[in-house]
Amino acid sequence: MLQPSQPIIQLLKRLWHHISQRRRAQLGMLFVLMVLTSLAEIIGIGAVLPFLGVLTVPDRVFVHPMAQPFIEFLALKEPKDLLLPLTIVFCLAALLTGAMRLVLLWANTRLSFAVGADLSISIYRRTLYQPYAVHVSRNSSEVISGISGKANDMIYSAIMPVLTLVSSSIMLLMILVALLSVDPFIALAAFGGFGMIYALII
């Protein structure tokens, strides 16, 4: 069962050995950015509930214990006074989440192409220092196109998908943990239901 995935894991291990220390440090910072983006996603999801609550049942939100520090800080007197500040909070949370997603997407893409460029340079250097007889027997244009093609294949078929998978997994795990801390039954039911739908679509 695990045999088909072993070559992919071995390929990623070999790829890791060819990544420079600078890129590895950047990958570490990218991992931190993934965690921060996941936290922003949780904040964005959490801001939806009080916003919907103040639109539908503002009286219940106004007397909720968790809302009291917020109400006392803003010196609000009536339930309807919650609408404007919670709308602002919701908009800021949505903007923060969207901005963090864009930054993560930019960092993912930039780092993927940076690693691909490093690998392309390494391949070109190895090709350049081949014996003279090897160069004579090869067409230079085919060698150049092969170098660029291999680098592009590595970027689009390995580096970017792996970074996207790691980012999505971190986000999914943190959102699941946050939902489990609120209501384990509803969280498991929701994830199980959406998981079944997703599996059927696949």
Side-chain angles (χ1 to χ4, degrees), residues 178-189:
L179 292 177
L180 285 173
S181 64
V182 175
D183 194 320
F185 178 76
I186 294 178
L188 291 175

Side-chain angles (χ1 to χ4, degrees), residues 23 26-27 30 106-116 163:
R23 300 303 180 200
Q26 290 175 346
L27 285 170
L30 181 63
W106 173 82
N108 263 341
T109 305
R110 184 177 177 85
L111 186 55
S112 297
F113 279 92
V115 173
L163 291 179

Side-chain angles (χ1 to χ4, degrees), residues 132-139:
Y132 178 74
V134 175
H135 289 289
V136 171
S137 62
R138 290 179 177 177
N139 188 324

Side-chain angles (χ1 to χ4, degrees), residues 17-159:
H17 291 304
H18 290 284
I19 296 176
S20 64
Q21 292 295 330
R22 179 187 175 190
R23 300 303 180 200
R24 292 182 184 183
Q26 290 175 346
L27 285 170
M29 291 187 289
L30 181 63
F31 180 81
V32 174
L33 181 59
M34 291 176 182
V35 174
L36 293 176
T37 305
S38 301
L39 292 175
E41 195 76 29
I42 293 173
I43 293 173
I45 295 173
V48 174
L49 297 178
F51 177 68
L52 293 178
V54 79
L55 288 177
T56 55
V57 281
D59 295 334
R60 292 181 61 182
V61 177
F62 195 79
V63 297
H64 198 282
M66 294 183 65
Q68 295 310 309
F70 182 75
I71 293 171
E72 293 174 2
F73 177 76
L74 296 177
L76 303 178
K77 302 300 182 182
E78 298 180 5
K80 64 180 182 180
D81 296 335
L82 280 170
L83 182 59
L84 179 59
L86 283 181
T87 301
I88 295 174
V89 170
F90 174 73
C91 292
L92 290 176
L95 290 174
L96 174 64
T97 304
M100 292 295 292
R101 284 181 184 175
L102 289 175
V103 171
L104 180 60
L105 178 62
W106 173 82
N108 263 341
T109 305
R110 184 177 177 85
L111 186 55
S112 297
F113 279 92
V115 173
D118 291 346
L119 294 174
S120 180
I121 292 171
S122 177
I123 295 171
Y124 182 75
R125 185 181 292 113
R126 289 172 180 267
T127 304
L128 195 63
Y129 286 103
Q130 290 293 319
Y132 178 74
V134 175
H135 289 289
V136 171
S137 62
R138 290 179 177 177
N139 188 324
S140 59
S141 61
E142 292 180 359
V143 173
I144 294 173
S145 63
I147 293 172
S148 61
K150 289 178 181 178
N152 287 333
D153 289 343
M154 186 61 66
I155 293 170
Y156 290 108
S157 63
I159 301 173

